[in-house]
Amino acid sequence: MKITEVKIHPVNTEGNLKAFVSITLDKQFVVGGLAVMNGTKGLFVKMPSRKVGDEYKDTCYPVTKEFRQELVDTVLAEYRRVSVDSYQDNVEVEEPLPF
């Protein structure tokens, strides 16, 4: 199974949530509800979850360690690319001085 598309939806807040994410698998199945979060050890990908009692349970998740790593690497790479592109779009370019 391959991740064929990653859509990043940045969130402009001061909190730990940085973006909502959806991924497409094999151009046939979309999984939404993932999130890029900023934790104490840096950025991580949170799986879709729902509240059960007092805790949250993942509703979908990678079965293998290898696919989890591929998913995290792919999502974070796209998040960083989108973040850099967004930053560059908002930077004002100054005209060089004439001397």
Side-chain angles (χ1 to χ4, degrees):
M1 184 174 306
K2 294 290 180 194
I3 300 168
T4 52
E5 184 177 22
V6 177
K7 290 185 179 178
I8 304 290
H9 307 281
V11 176
N12 294 325
T13 65
E14 295 296 321
N16 294 337
L17 176 64
K18 298 301 174 190
F20 289 109
V21 180
S22 64
I23 61 171
T24 303
L25 303 171
D26 289 337
K27 296 183 181 180
Q28 297 183 45
F29 190 80
V30 174
V31 178
L34 291 89
V36 174
M37 306 287 293
N38 192 16
T40 56
K41 297 179 182 178
L43 295 175
F44 69 95
V45 177
K46 180 182 151 307
M47 295 297 129
S49 62
R50 65 183 172 98
K51 191 169 186 178
V52 178
D54 291 337
E55 61 185 19
Y56 285 89
K57 299 277 187 177
D58 289 350
T59 56
C60 59
Y61 46 87
V63 174
T64 67
K65 178 180 167 181
E66 295 80 15
F67 188 72
R68 177 178 292 275
Q69 192 61 55
E70 178 184 343
L71 185 144
V72 168
D73 291 347
T74 303
V75 168
L76 291 181
E78 182 64 7
Y79 171 76
R80 288 180 179 112
R81 186 192 71 75
V82 166
S83 295
V84 167
D85 287 351
S86 176
Y87 173 77
Q88 289 174 349
D89 289 344
N90 292 323
V91 172
E92 292 183 29
V93 177
E94 293 183 24
E95 292 296 319
L97 295 174
F99 50 89

